[in-house]
């Protein structure tokens, strides 16, 4: 049985965070475990509140999972404080987690900030160098590199700058650009482009969490990084194409779209 661990925040609306990750793992036939970093009061319209868990207890959750169940791959999502990032980095090193996907979650789809400003430096210095893959969107890549990214050329330059921080594989997501949805993967030698048609659907809540969770699941199943990204891209396209019209705002994607269509 393949196993994957997600270390992230809880989304009470069920579309992103821990909930999206566990749904994705299950859809891709991977047993999912979790360590919750924060609890959010959140829906499709916005984030109404955040309750951060003590860093020590985040570490205890990771301990409980990894010393018993283990993980073939792991991912991080919302890590809201310096203390939590430091604990997660320490546990990744302690347990020798090699297949780590870091989704540097900073801002929710609604525009609400999820990562304290002072924590961004610690994320770059302590966690990114432990990752196998990082999956920033344009805003996150821009924040991490101090660049304004508004083109594919800018995505490539940002990917190279992030690779220089010690990250073997950098996937810069181009979903916020116009035209086809193109993501750039850089491994220090080769630039790979993963392009898919842009879907006319406003229900895209949780796409970043879901894509990084899918990459994690495919890595847990033994795929190479580029293969995992390609398979994850196909998975998220289907999830967006059959997104659920839940809520009054930006609704969630359909994580189980391959199993049933909405309304069946």
């Amino acid at each position: 049985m393949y196993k994957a661990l997600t270390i992230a925040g809880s989304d009470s609306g069920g579309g992103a965070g821990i909930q999206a990750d566990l749904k994705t793992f299950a859809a891709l036939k991977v047993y999912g475990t979790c360590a919750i970093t924060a609890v959010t009061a959140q829906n499709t319209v916005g984030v109404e509140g955040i309750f951060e868990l003590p860093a020590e207890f985040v570490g205890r959750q990771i301990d409980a999972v990894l010393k018993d169940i283990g993980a073939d791959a792991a991912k991080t999502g919302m890590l809201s404080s310096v203390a939590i990032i430091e604990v997660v980095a320490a546990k990744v090193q302690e347990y020798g987690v090699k297949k780590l996907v870091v989704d540097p979650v900073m801002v929710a789809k609604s525009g609400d900030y999820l990562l304290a400003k002072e924590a961004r430096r610690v994320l770059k210095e302590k966690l990114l160098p432990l990752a196998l893959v990082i999956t920033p969107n344009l805003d996150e890549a821009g924040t991490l590199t101090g660049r304004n990214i508004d083109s594919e050329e800018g995505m490539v330059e940002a990917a190279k700058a992030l690779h220089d921080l010690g990250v073997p594989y950098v996937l810069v997501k181009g979903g916020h650009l116009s035209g086809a949805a193109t993501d750039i993967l850089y491994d220090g030698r080769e630039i790979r482009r993963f392009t898919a048609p842009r879907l006319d659907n406003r229900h895209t809540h949780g796409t970043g969490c879901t894509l990084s969770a899918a990459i994690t699941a495919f890595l847990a199943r033994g795929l190479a990084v580029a293969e995992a990204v390609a398979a994850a891209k196909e998975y998220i396209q289907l999830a967006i194409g059959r997104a659920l019209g839940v809520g009054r705002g930006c609704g969630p994607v359909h994580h189980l779209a391959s199993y049933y269509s909405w309304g069946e």
Side-chain angles (χ1 to χ4, degrees):
M1 179 177 290
Y2 305 112
K3 298 162 290 186
L5 165 65
T6 171
I7 307 168
S10 169
D11 173 7
S12 56
I18 289 287
Q19 288 81 355
D21 294 345
L22 293 178
K23 291 175 188 177
T24 300
F25 292 164
L28 298 176
K29 302 178 181 179
V30 172
Y31 182 80
T33 58
C34 66
I36 299 175
T37 60
V39 178
T40 68
Q42 184 177 172
N43 54 31
T44 65
V45 178
V47 179
E48 299 183 5
I50 299 174
F51 181 80
E52 184 181 293
L53 271 67
E56 183 271 339
F57 195 74
V58 174
R60 288 176 64 182
Q61 294 176 76
I62 298 170
D63 285 335
V65 170
L66 293 183
K67 71 184 180 183
D68 175 33
I69 299 169
D72 298 302
K75 67 154 286 189
T76 65
M78 177 184 174
L79 306 175
S80 53
S81 70
V82 169
I84 290 176
I85 294 170
E86 290 178 337
V87 164
V88 171
K91 294 301 179 184
V92 166
Q93 291 177 299
E94 178 181 347
Y95 289 97
V97 177
K98 300 302 181 186
K99 295 181 180 180
L100 177 68
V101 178
V102 173
D103 184 11
V105 177
M106 297 181 183
V107 182
K109 190 75 68 177
S110 58
D112 297 278
Y113 280 90
L114 301 175
L115 180 68
K117 188 174 182 180
E118 62 271 18
R120 298 171 193 170
R121 176 185 58 82
V122 180
L123 181 77
K124 287 176 62 175
E125 293 178 357
K126 295 196 172 182
L127 191 60
L128 294 194
L130 302 177
L132 174 62
V133 187
I134 64 172
T135 62
N137 60 27
L138 296 186
D139 292 337
E140 292 157 352
T143 299
L144 290 169
T145 61
R147 302 164 183 260
N148 179 34
I149 306 170
D150 57 7
S151 66
E152 282 193 27
E153 291 74 16
M155 292 169 64
V156 170
E157 293 307 311
K160 291 180 177 179
L162 290 169
H163 181 271
D164 288 342
L165 296 177
V167 183
Y169 292 86
V170 179
L171 181 71
V172 179
K173 299 174 295 188
H176 293 170
L177 293 179
S178 59
T182 298
D183 301 333
I184 299 292
L185 179 68
Y186 180 63
D187 63 1
R189 301 177 303 278
E190 183 180 357
I191 294 291
R192 294 183 175 91
R193 287 173 169 79
F194 299 86
T195 301
R198 184 171 298 278
L199 301 175
D200 184 18
N201 192 334
R202 68 182 174 88
H203 298 299
T204 56
H205 180 57
T207 50
C209 301
T210 301
L211 178 66
S212 59
I215 293 170
T216 305
F218 286 120
L219 289 175
R221 289 173 52 174
L223 273 67
V225 172
E227 295 172 338
V229 170
K233 184 82 170 178
E234 290 184 12
Y235 171 79
I236 193 63
Q237 280 294 110
L238 179 63
I240 295 172
R242 298 184 184 176
L244 309 177
V246 174
R248 296 178 291 107
C250 181
V253 302
H254 189 1
H255 301 92
L256 300 172
S258 60
Y259 294 92
Y260 68 92
S261 294
W262 188 239
E264 287 184 352

